Amino acid sequence: MDTLTAATRPKADSGEFIYAFLDAYDFPKATLTQIRNGGQRNVASRKDEGHVALKKWLYYMPVRQGESIHEALQVLADEDEPARHKCRFLVVTDFREMTALDTKTDERLEVGFGELATQYLFFAPMAGLERTKHFEEASADLKAAAKMGRLFDRLKEVNEFSTPEQLHALNVFLTRLLFCYFAEDTGIFPKNAFTKVITEASGENGEDLPDLLTQLFRVMNQPEDERPADLAAHVAQFPYVNGGLFRDDLPVPEIRGTGRRMMIECGRLAWEAVNPDIFGSMFQAVVDEESRDSMGQHYTSVPNIMKVIRPLFLDKLYAELHKDRGNRKKLEALLERLSHIKVFDPAMGSGNFLIIAYKELRRLEMSVFRAMQDVGEQKQNELFMSGIRLSQFYGIEIDDFAYEVAQLSLWLAEHQMNMLFAKEFGHAEPLLPLKDAAQLVAGNSLQLNWLDVCWNGEGQEVYICGNPPFHGTAGRNVEQARDMKRVFGKKALGYLDYVACWFQKGTDYLQPGGEAAFVSTNSLCQGQQVATLWPGILNSGIEISFAYQTFPWSNSAQSNAGVHVVIIGLSTHPTQKRLYQRVSGEWRMKIVKNISPYLVEGGNTIVSSRNRSLVPALPMVRGNQPTDGGNLILSESEKDQLLDREQRLVPWIKPLIGAQEFLKGDCRWCLWLVGAPEEVLNIPEVRSRLDAVRALRIKAGHAAALQGAKRPHQFLQVAQPEEGSYILVPAFTSERRPYVPLGFMESDVISNNKNYIIPDGGLYEFSVLSSIMHLDWMRLVCGRLESRYGYSSRIVYNTFPWPEVSERDRQEIEKLGRAIILARAAHPDKTMTQLYDPDKMPDNLLETHQALDRAVEKLYRDRPFRDTAERQEYLLARYEALIEAEKASKPSRTKKSRNAVTKEG
DNA sequence: TATCCGACAAGTT
DNA sequence: AACTTGTCGGATA
């Protein structure tokens, strides 16, 4: 580390820096010498420009002063070379500042060149020390949250908390405790003063502790000069806190001996190591009964928050800083701008987004101060003071406790940043007395007028961000459903997720200007929901300014919520549209002309579900839905036993095929009693099963089930063809397969509702639907389960723009379809899963599919398609043309034009 | 009546 | 414990 300090001294030779740097991380001397002599250890192609690339570890790129290190890093991150050499760290410096990216954790370092030694740990993995900071912090957070949780439980045992007032008092009490613990460990209070007072000034049975705490809290709400002169020293040592935290004289709960011991234990935790960024979420989860099992499942991790706020405002502010460098006036203007930016999270939870946004803006501001120092012209004794105030941060939260924690965490974040500021600029504003607070509101975000919370209008620079809650149609409660109705007015909501409300309210809010970005479930940009949500947004002049395509949700909670998410930025006037796509595990940003509501590059065409096929085609229906609680369904052995006892059942038991059975070759059977005589229905084993079905359907209670309870011998919904064969399409299939396997079934094989079926479908349909043209159409428009394909008749099949086909071509296509059946048949021992395994698909089958693909593509046009994007673009254009033609032929039914087929540009 | 969906759910490795 | 991959039946139009 000493070498690092030396190498970054102002007068050090910049050419030598990289060697000192590598030396500091214990790279062998031999390696250093080798690089110095231009040896092969340095795999950079631009050695002559001073680049150094070490396989697996580092790509180092010096730039001339005046060039933006941030832009250079962005460019470098997008290049292939570092990835090719698997370089974990990308480092760019102009020898004034350094910026670096840890490609593994997606963390960024920005540091003045001279202060690099203080950030030694960022590169610690290069010295063989995996940077466990985050893990440790998380575990400190968890430990603290768990301990506080136990204290919370104990308090509930000895107190009555039932009214909202009592609960609020408890929430405030816990928040105050948290503040005191942090304060005594981070220099806001005298070291350990709070825990010490509890230990020394209260009895072991804890009976006098509530009185003591009441007294302490009162004092913390009293300016020093207003306090009584005779105040005991152990009380008087606590400073005036203000800021509203101790304003209200709320009752302190009974604590007793056990509670007291727990409080002292909590005080012994290393609170300085607890990171307010996510601690609040952890703790909130502990306290919230309903979510305790899923503790912290839904808090947004710091990397994911960065994915939201960097494209939203941070990147462009850094770009502005770069542009203004060297110009004191402009830098001053930038500072002024920073002090007026508003950040608003209308679903803030315990405030993660606001905390990170606050910290990042403070870091940026420090970079501006550094740039001002570089300009010189510093006025005599000029003191830099942060102009960023917590009151620029706005939030809404429905949960009272989370709201209290958010307020607290922001104060703590301010304290942290003041400390950081002091380290570099030599002075810090004291945290106490707390001056301005963030402008947070406890309430229902969907019922509040956001303009009342955070004014938006001419001359304002407002950024909305957050991760609002997701609830599908089944997952929301009555009040949430009512809120949705209110937010969207009379519009039919279909399958719209609850989270869509934030997009809608954001759209209204942004009319005067500003930008918003939310984390959302990916389903908003798939299937049904696209046509329900997006026309309204796009028609009110809002565009998608940036987007992260689907990725699995994750944070460091012990069990993660099962959902895949997207991040969507909205703006009235996006200057540049950025699409973030994951290519082999890494995020790549592409600047595009337009981002479609499906979050791919392209126009704003929206495909709406249809009841009938767009072009004349055989109808597709869904397989039979049992709603039987399993009572009409038999395993192989159940079937055998039943048939042993009852020969009369032979004609009434049929093979049942779901997606699982089709794909994996499993075998199930069902009682298919359509048209069965009374005598069969009265067989005792049958009767008892039918009684169970009836009971279940009555219990379900909805109209369809009650109807079905009158005929329990039938599946609730019957769609089975009576004769012939049908094409089977599994409803949910893995997205990893190169093709979605379809199959032919005879009409006496009963399909359940996990498949879609085309009665009387032939080889031509089979072939086209198996082809890449249809597969890519499906990929574009289908709904999904996380990322699995969710096939559906109305969205995928009925909207599919089939090709025009001559009789001769049709026969050719059928021949190729038959070849696929034969290619499969050549592997009679393999299931569909095995045949279509992405890694093990047999060559003959793959080749046959590819031949079919080419033939089907040719039905559309002679020139082959380059890739999925080109096929989708082509099909969308054809879809639009067909829709237009349909409208033209049926002018009276133009009601369907709410499809809002808006063309871009 | 006919679906499309799931801050998932149940299985395997 | 991580990874793979589609159940089941309700809510909705």
Side-chain angles (χ1 to χ4, degrees):
Chain A
M1 187 141 43
D2 289 342
T3 51
L4 207 53
T5 311
T8 56
R9 274 192 197 119
K11 292 214 173 118
D13 178 355
S14 58
E16 281 298 304
F17 163 69
I18 183 63
Y19 306 111
F21 180 77
L22 293 173
D23 191 31
Y25 287 96
D26 287 337
F27 277 81
K29 292 279 183 294
T31 305
L32 301 187
T33 316
Q34 233 242 356
I35 298 170
R36 202 187 285 270
N37 300 332
Q40 291 178 350
R41 197 70 56 88
N42 179 3
V43 293
S45 63
R46 284 180 280 168
K47 284 185 204 180
D48 53 322
E49 293 170 44
H51 291 209
V52 174
L54 289 175
K55 276 199 163 134
K56 226 175 108 191
W57 289 118
L58 178 78
Y59 195 104
Y60 166 75
M61 172 174 167
V63 299
R64 274 196 301 277
Q65 262 171 39
E67 279 182 53
S68 163
I69 55 172
H70 305 287
E71 273 172 34
L73 181 67
Q74 190 61 55
V75 169
L76 187 61
D78 290 339
E79 279 176 12
D80 289 339
E81 196 173 341
R84 205 164 57 239
H85 301 306
K86 300 198 165 56
C87 300
R88 171 157 176 188
F89 292 98
L90 311 182
V91 178
V92 177
T93 182
D94 60 0
F95 305 104
R96 286 166 176 251
E97 281 189 78
M98 170 185 277
T99 179
L101 176 72
D102 182 340
T103 58
K104 185 172 167 191
T105 62
D106 216 19
E107 281 175 280
R108 289 221 302 186
L109 174 73
E110 277 155 25
V111 64
F113 196 61
E115 288 78 47
L116 181 58
T118 63
Q119 298 297 322
Y120 179 82
L121 283 178
F122 185 84
F123 300 101
M126 289 203 304
L129 306 161
E130 194 49 48
R131 192 173 53 235
T132 49
K133 196 177 120 227
H134 271 282
F135 175 71
E136 277 168 12
E137 275 175 359
S139 93
D141 295 334
L142 273 173
K143 234 191 264 175
K147 273 231 159 95
M148 288 297 285
R150 281 198 287 279
L151 172 62
F152 170 77
D153 285 343
R154 177 63 191 159
L155 293 178
K156 279 207 305 195
E157 278 168 35
V158 297
N159 290 276
E160 167 85 14
F161 299 113
S162 49
T163 68
E165 290 76 25
Q166 286 167 328
L167 277 170
H168 177 71
L170 173 67
N171 291 343
V172 172
F173 174 68
L174 288 170
T175 317
R176 288 173 179 178
L177 279 190
L178 285 179
F179 177 83
C180 294
Y181 288 138
F182 270 106
E184 68 172 1
D185 278 12
T186 58
I188 301 171
F189 289 172
K191 187 83 191 146
N192 292 330
F194 183 67
T195 308
K196 225 161 149 185
V197 167
I198 296 175
T199 318
E200 291 170 6
S202 75
E204 283 199 10
N205 62 12
E207 270 172 19
D208 51 356
L209 190 49
D211 279 345
L212 174 65
L213 291 173
T214 304
Q215 197 187 1
L216 291 179
F217 292 165
R218 253 178 221 154
V219 163
M220 290 179 202
N221 194 40
Q222 252 174 348
E224 275 83 355
D225 54 7
E226 292 174 20
R227 293 178 180 178
D230 58 346
L231 209 55
H234 70 268
V235 178
Q237 66 174 324
F238 290 99
Y240 173 46
V241 175
N242 196 11
L245 183 57
F246 296 95
R247 184 183 51 225
D248 301 319
D249 217 355
L250 294 169
V252 171
E254 282 294 311
I255 295 168
R256 314 242 177 112
T258 316
R260 177 177 173 276
R261 279 192 297 283
M262 287 175 147
M263 280 181 61
I264 293 168
E265 245 179 74
C266 285
R268 291 213 189 95
L269 288 168
W271 287 91
E272 71 278 4
V274 170
N275 185 355
D277 297 1
I278 58 167
F279 168 75
S281 309
M282 293 286 175
F283 187 39
Q284 181 206 336
V286 169
V287 169
D288 179 8
E289 288 276 337
E290 278 174 27
S291 62
R292 186 177 290 197
D293 291 340
S294 53
M295 177 159 147
Q297 272 201 334
H298 298 161
Y299 86 84
T300 317
S301 67
V302 177
N304 284 346
I305 293 174
M306 292 305 284
K307 284 195 187 79
V308 176
I309 65 173
R310 278 192 51 195
L312 184 62
F313 56 83
L314 214 52
D315 284 349
K316 66 186 167 204
L317 290 172
Y318 270 103
E320 181 66 35
L321 165 61
H322 167 63
K323 222 173 62 197
D324 299 345
R325 220 170 264 284
N327 184 329
R328 190 178 165 104
K329 274 231 162 63
K330 284 192 171 170
L331 290 171
E332 279 172 357
L334 178 56
L335 284 177
E336 179 71 11
R337 179 178 170 195
L338 291 183
S339 69
H340 287 102
I341 283 176
K342 294 175 171 178
V343 181
F344 175 22
D345 182 349
M348 68 173 174
S350 39
N352 303 10
F353 278 81
L354 296 180
I355 292 161
I356 302 300
Y358 173 78
K359 286 181 159 183
E360 288 298 325
L361 283 175
R362 286 288 303 265
R363 285 201 187 102
L364 168 62
E365 188 186 41
M366 283 164 65
S367 297
V368 181
F369 288 140
R370 276 181 221 120
M372 290 177 75
Q373 285 175 332
D374 291 345
V375 179
E377 308 172 25
Q378 201 160 354
K379 290 164 191 146
Q380 201 72 39
N381 296 327
E382 179 176 29
L383 268 188
F384 291 127
M385 300 271 271
S386 174
I388 297 171
R389 301 272 155 241
L390 286 181
S391 53
Q392 290 164 244
F393 296 78
Y394 298 76
I396 304 175
E397 172 54 37
I398 196 163
D399 180 81
D400 183 60
F401 181 68
Y403 158 83
E404 296 289 347
V405 170
Q407 190 74 265
L408 172 69
S409 302
L410 277 159
W411 275 318
L412 299 174
E414 182 183 31
H415 181 61
Q416 275 190 336
M417 292 317 292
N418 284 349
M419 295 293 102
L420 202 64
F421 187 91
K423 225 156 89 189
E424 187 168 344
F425 297 97
H427 69 98
E429 292 180 70
L431 183 70
L432 299 183
L434 298 173
K435 286 165 291 288
D436 58 355
Q439 314 221 24
L440 310 183
V441 173
N444 183 333
S445 187
L446 301 184
Q447 291 176 12
L448 288 164
N449 181 351
W450 290 3
L451 288 170
D452 293 341
V453 178
C454 175
W455 173 246
N456 183 19
E458 191 74 24
Q460 302 286 317
E461 186 172 1
V462 187
Y463 298 105
I464 298 189
C465 58
N467 176 357
F470 317 156
H471 292 297
T473 48
R476 51 191 175 239
N477 63 35
V478 179
E479 195 192 353
Q480 289 166 334
R482 208 169 44 222
D483 284 342
M484 277 193 85
K485 281 232 165 67
R486 194 174 12 241
V487 168
F488 284 95
K490 285 205 178 117
K491 202 167 171 296
L493 297 178
Y495 295 87
L496 213 51
D497 194 283
Y498 186 55
V499 71
C501 296
W502 276 263
F503 284 81
Q504 183 61 39
K505 290 204 74 157
T507 296
D508 297 339
Y509 181 88
L510 290 185
Q511 291 310 317
E515 292 182 48
F518 294 116
V519 180
S520 160
T521 165
N522 61 1
S523 65
L524 238 42
C525 298
Q526 292 164 7
Q528 279 280 6
Q529 300 190 37
V530 179
T532 321
L533 175 66
W534 288 99
I537 294 177
L538 297 174
N539 290 339
S540 41
I542 300 279
E543 294 175 81
I544 298 178
S545 52
F546 75 90
Y548 273 80
Q549 292 181 339
T550 295
F551 61 98
W553 174 256
S554 84
N555 62 24
S556 53
Q558 59 274 70
S559 78
N560 274 189
V563 65
H564 285 202
V565 297
V566 293
I567 295 170
I568 305 172
L570 301 177
S571 167
T572 45
H573 298 95
T575 47
Q576 200 184 47
K577 298 177 179 177
R578 303 173 176 200
L579 183 60
Y580 295 81
Q581 303 171 290
R582 227 161 34 149
V583 182
S584 52
E586 297 194 20
W587 287 105
R588 295 286 164 84
M589 190 267 279
K590 191 177 174 194
I591 293 172
V592 298
K593 236 178 80 194
N594 190 60
I595 300 172
S596 90
Y598 296 96
L599 301 193
V600 294
E601 181 174 6
N604 288 337
T605 309
I606 289 171
V607 175
S608 301
S609 71
R610 316 171 43 94
N611 291 326
R612 283 176 307 120
S613 180
L614 182 56
V615 299
L618 290 172
M620 170 182 271
V621 295
R622 196 177 71 144
N624 311 281
Q625 176 170 323
T627 316
D628 67 332
N631 291 296
L632 294 173
I633 295 170
L634 308 166
S635 68
E636 184 87 13
S637 60
E638 282 175 320
K639 178 209 68 166
D640 290 342
Q641 283 172 20
L642 205 52
L643 285 183
D644 272 353
R645 287 200 298 273
E646 275 298 345
Q647 294 298 312
R648 281 179 292 173
L649 278 173
V650 171
W652 307 107
I653 293 183
K654 296 194 176 186
L656 175 75
I657 193 158
Q660 189 106 236
E661 285 74 24
F662 173 65
L663 294 163
K664 297 183 185 159
D666 294 350
C667 192
R668 279 197 298 176
W669 303 80
C670 66
L671 288 169
W672 190 256
L673 298 163
V674 180
E678 277 301 311
E679 164 205 17
V680 170
L681 300 184
N682 284 328
I683 294 170
E685 282 92 338
V686 174
R687 190 86 271 162
S688 63
R689 282 173 177 269
L690 299 188
D691 288 344
V693 172
R694 184 186 300 109
L696 179 115
R697 289 181 184 170
I698 288 171
K699 192 167 166 237
H702 59 272
L706 291 174
Q707 278 296 317
K710 293 178 190 159
R711 40 168 187 78
H713 63 293
Q714 285 182 8
F715 279 27
L716 188 66
Q717 284 164 8
V718 176
Q720 188 69 12
E722 285 177 13
E723 53 179 28
S725 65
Y726 60 89
I727 295 176
L728 177 148
V729 187
F732 278 106
T733 49
S734 167
E735 74 279 20
R736 294 178 58 248
R737 299 193 181 108
Y739 295 91
V740 171
L742 313 189
F744 284 105
M745 292 293 147
E746 295 304 317
S747 62
D748 58 357
V749 177
I750 307 300
S751 169
N752 76 4
N753 61 336
K754 300 301 118 185
N755 303 308
Y756 286 84
I757 64 179
I758 307 174
D760 298 321
L763 269 174
Y764 176 70
E765 287 80 13
F766 171 84
S767 304
V768 175
L769 297 183
S770 296
S771 77
I772 188 91
M773 289 303 278
H774 184 253
L775 183 63
D776 280 342
W777 179 254
M778 179 196 74
R779 276 199 259 260
L780 178 70
V781 301
C782 74
R784 296 183 188 231
L785 203 176
E786 292 194 335
S787 285
R788 300 321 83 69
Y789 301 134
Y791 200 92
S792 67
S793 49
R794 280 178 175 173
I795 292 174
V796 184
Y797 181 82
N798 289 346
T799 59
F800 179 58
W802 290 77
E804 306 264 2
V805 62
S806 69
E807 189 51 40
R808 224 183 100 215
D809 287 341
R810 192 182 171 101
Q811 283 174 13
E812 176 62 22
I813 297 291
E814 287 180 346
K815 212 170 90 192
L816 289 161
R818 195 172 294 115
I820 287 182
I821 308 279
L822 290 174
R824 288 178 185 170
H827 307 274
D829 52 323
K830 288 205 162 80
T831 64
M832 287 292 175
T833 315
Q834 292 160 338
L835 285 171
Y836 288 89
D837 186 306
D839 306 318
K840 297 180 215 147
M841 189 165 173
D843 288 342
N844 69 325
L845 183 58
L846 183 60
E847 283 156 16
T848 316
H849 267 285
Q850 286 166 345
L852 173 66
D853 287 347
R854 278 193 300 276
V856 174
E857 283 189 354
K858 252 191 139 153
L859 297 180
Y860 288 92
R861 76 174 193 199
D862 277 338
R863 189 157 50 88
F865 291 89
R866 196 179 344 113
D867 54 13
T868 291
E870 203 177 83
R871 277 185 287 269
Q872 291 177 339
E873 190 187 347
Y874 181 92
L875 288 168
L876 269 180
R878 183 165 161 75
Y879 167 84
E880 283 193 308
L882 287 167
I883 291 280
E884 284 305 315
E886 185 183 56
K887 260 195 248 165
S889 70
K890 291 186 259 178
S892 60
R893 305 185 72 183
T894 46
K895 248 180 95 183
K896 279 279 164 192
S897 67
R898 78 181 175 81
N899 293 357
V901 183
T902 11
K903 260 199 197 150
E904 181 241 340

